[in-house]
Amino acid sequence: MMISKRLPELQLLILCTIGCYIFLELFVASAALDGLFGFTGVDIIFISFLLSFFVAIISVIAGVGGGVIFTPLMLAFTSVDTLIIRSTGLVVAMFSGLVASGPFMRKGLADIKLVFLGALPILVGGFVGSMAAVSLSQHLGEAGDSIVRIALGVLLAAIALIFIVGGASTEYPEHGQRSKLATKLKLRHMYWEDTLQKPVKYNVHNVKVAVILLFAVGFTGGFFGLGGGWAVVPVLNLVMSVPLKVSAATSGVLLAMGNSAAIWPYINAGALIGVVAAPWMLGQIIGGIVGAHVLSGIKAAFVRKLLIVMLFLTSLKLLSRGIEGLFNISIPFI
Amino acid sequence: MNKRKKPPIPISGVVYGEIIYWCTCVSALVVLYGTIKSFLEVDQTIPVEYLLNAVFEGRSVEAVWTGSALQKSPDALTYLAILNSGEAITVAGIAFGVLSVGPAIFFSAAFMWRSHNEFFAVTALLSGAFAVIAPFVFFLL
């Protein structure tokens, strides 16, 4: 409640959205959709909005982008066409990051230099990745796709394990040697840590390796249509030694920017169904603003735990999809 | 510096964040208007109930649109041609939010340049150019 009082635009958006859905529920005669437990079209839109709101809060805090939660859930529990899920997934992944960019930058949580350092590799990587996906699916078919998914699932599980083994040191990473390139580029920064009530300084390391990795993240994000925020946080935090909270905020901003190019082929192919994507987008915007304000006030350890759980869940989903595709079997409950 | 004093926040970041933040809020209102219009319009080019049914039935993108009055998958130009329909307004709202990235990057790059961070100003300009050109590249393919 405190957040909405400080942000009149958030109040307006919540009022308009809730008002709109109440109006539709009361005054529009919407028929029940086939096979959806008697829910009408308006009901589905309102439920989608609520789900998206909670997904946005969790994804902004963890800096992973809602697509990582949305896409596996939709693929697992609905029969909606994968192309429509991927396009809506990109909207979900993008909009919480887009709207959270404002609060993150205002509070100095997202590092603008890191954003512009990583933007080009992620944008180009995403572009090349989506092109490669189209080309590979024509040549290798689903088997090749499954093998890549399994490899990615194993990689994500490994990153989650590194987060667990790394323990508290990953929240405020310390690095002995100073990177020459980072010093030359003036990649050192300081942010105000609300939970400690003091500024936290940090230096950036391994710039060249990180740029290559961010290109790879963009590539895989574009290739799978999941967005890439889930892997940007580990790259910033574990490779570049950026504090976890700054990594999560910077990742959200980078993710939104990176996906802005990838959405266009979906729009041009008619795969972005406005009425389906709209409640998810609105939930991401309102939830994104709430999440961005919650982030500065919560303990970094909480973000880390949330991230570990999300990495494991995503890894599980990727592995199951890979195995399902490769051996033509169905794994229940995953 | 006082150890408890809040550090200064880069203006280029604030400019970037504010442009995107407000454009996204406006795009949300456009999308809301589009949603209401979709349900209320009497003479629907794209009936919303049909769309939702077709999507949740699991029909492919092509099948969804073939069964509608459009009879083919719409591209960006189709949406522009039927911009008075609720569905097109909704997609236009989403597109507006996405497009806000380009100008936000360019304005931020200008402030980055003024603060003597030339390297990041150039990387920002390249990223902005890519974000703006990307839709047209996809349309041409």
Side-chain angles (χ1 to χ4, degrees):
Chain A
M1 285 303 269
M2 289 299 287
I3 298 168
S4 66
K5 275 182 186 171
R6 277 189 280 128
L7 300 166
E9 68 276 15
L10 180 60
Q11 272 182 338
L12 178 75
L13 277 178
I14 292 173
L15 274 173
C16 287
T17 308
I18 301 291
C20 162
Y21 290 143
I22 289 173
F23 172 81
L24 289 177
E25 285 282 5
L26 291 177
F27 298 106
V28 172
S30 184
L33 298 179
D34 300 333
L36 282 171
F37 313 106
F39 285 122
T40 64
V42 178
D43 294 338
I44 290 296
I45 283 177
F46 189 57
I47 292 167
S48 300
F49 167 74
L50 288 178
L51 284 173
S52 179
F53 175 75
F54 291 113
V55 165
I57 293 177
I58 296 168
S59 61
V60 165
I61 290 170
V64 293
V68 176
I69 305 168
F70 169 85
T71 308
L73 277 177
M74 289 293 283
L75 285 172
F77 299 108
T78 72
S79 55
V80 177
D81 181 71
T82 56
L83 207 58
I84 296 171
I85 292 177
R86 287 169 71 182
S87 66
T88 313
L90 273 179
V91 169
V92 170
M94 196 189 315
F95 272 88
S96 60
L98 279 177
V99 80
S101 297
F104 283 158
M105 290 298 184
R106 244 177 268 151
K107 288 167 188 279
L109 274 180
D111 189 330
I112 189 71
K113 285 184 184 174
L114 285 180
V115 168
F116 287 143
L117 184 77
L120 203 56
I122 283 194
L123 275 164
V124 176
F127 184 88
V128 176
S130 57
M131 292 294 167
V134 174
S135 173
L136 273 179
S137 68
Q138 287 168 351
H139 292 97
L140 285 178
E142 284 194 9
D145 206 26
S146 301
I147 292 165
V148 179
R149 273 203 183 93
I150 291 170
L152 194 66
V154 172
L155 181 71
L156 279 189
I159 293 168
L161 279 173
I162 292 168
F163 264 99
I164 294 169
V165 176
S169 64
T170 52
E171 288 167 29
Y172 306 106
E174 284 181 14
H175 209 283
Q177 281 184 320
R178 297 191 73 165
S179 158
K180 281 181 189 170
L181 183 58
T183 309
K184 201 175 175 184
L185 294 173
K186 292 184 267 182
L187 273 172
R188 53 183 181 277
H189 199 57
M190 190 194 292
Y191 77 103
W192 178 257
E193 178 56 73
D194 261 353
T195 55
L196 302 174
Q197 282 298 300
K198 69 172 188 179
V200 173
K201 275 185 186 175
Y202 61 89
N203 290 305
V204 175
H205 301 273
N206 302 321
V207 177
K208 285 178 197 164
V209 178
V211 166
I212 295 166
L213 285 174
L214 286 174
F215 176 82
V217 169
F219 181 88
T220 49
F223 191 82
F224 292 108
L226 278 171
W230 40 271
V232 175
V233 176
V235 169
L236 293 173
N237 184 238
L238 298 174
V239 179
M240 299 184 91
S241 304
V242 176
L244 191 59
K245 206 178 271 188
V246 178
S247 300
T250 307
S251 159
V253 178
L254 258 176
L255 173 71
M257 197 187 278
N259 288 338
S260 67
I263 194 75
W264 291 105
Y266 290 103
I267 292 179
N268 209 38
L272 187 76
I273 311 284
V275 74
V276 176
W280 285 96
M281 175 217 175
L282 292 165
Q284 289 299 304
I285 290 175
I286 296 172
I289 298 173
V290 174
H293 283 83
V294 169
L295 179 63
S296 64
I298 60 168
K299 295 264 184 201
F302 177 71
V303 182
R304 187 165 54 85
K305 282 173 190 160
L306 206 61
L307 189 64
I308 289 167
V309 172
M310 281 183 183
L311 285 171
F312 269 125
L313 288 177
T314 313
S315 145
L316 208 62
K317 184 67 199 171
L318 283 166
L319 283 171
S320 73
R321 280 200 64 197
I323 293 165
E324 278 174 347
L326 205 59
F327 301 106
N328 205 17
I329 53 166
S330 176
I331 302 170
F333 308 117
I334 299 179
Chain B
M1 181 191 274
N2 183 343
K3 279 188 177 174
R4 297 280 164 184
K5 195 180 168 188
K6 286 193 178 183
I9 293 163
I11 186 77
S12 49
V14 177
V15 167
Y16 175 80
E18 290 305 308
I19 293 173
I20 287 192
Y21 181 79
W22 290 106
C23 285
T24 311
C25 287
V26 171
S27 77
L29 294 175
V30 176
V31 164
L32 260 181
Y33 173 69
T35 305
I36 295 175
K37 197 167 188 307
S38 296
F39 278 95
L40 292 183
E41 56 196 0
V42 182
D43 185 23
Q44 294 179 316
T45 318
I46 309 164
V48 69
E49 295 281 351
Y50 161 77
L51 263 187
L52 285 168
N53 250 323
V55 168
F56 284 98
E57 267 175 16
R59 288 194 214 168
S60 69
V61 173
E62 239 181 82
V64 168
W65 292 112
T66 309
S68 76
L70 289 178
Q71 293 183 327
K72 68 177 180 84
S73 296
D75 55 18
L77 295 175
T78 316
Y79 284 120
L80 286 175
I82 52 164
L83 202 52
N84 59 340
S85 75
E87 175 67 15
I89 292 170
T90 309
V91 173
I94 294 171
F96 176 72
V98 174
L99 281 171
S100 67
V101 170
I105 293 177
F106 289 132
F107 278 104
S108 180
F111 282 92
M112 199 60 109
W113 187 274
R114 280 177 59 176
S115 58
H116 305 290
N117 287 299
E118 288 84 1
F119 174 78
F120 294 103
V122 171
T123 58
L125 280 175
L126 291 173
S127 309
F130 195 87
V132 170
I133 292 167
F136 300 103
V137 172
F138 285 122
F139 293 156
L140 289 172
L141 289 173

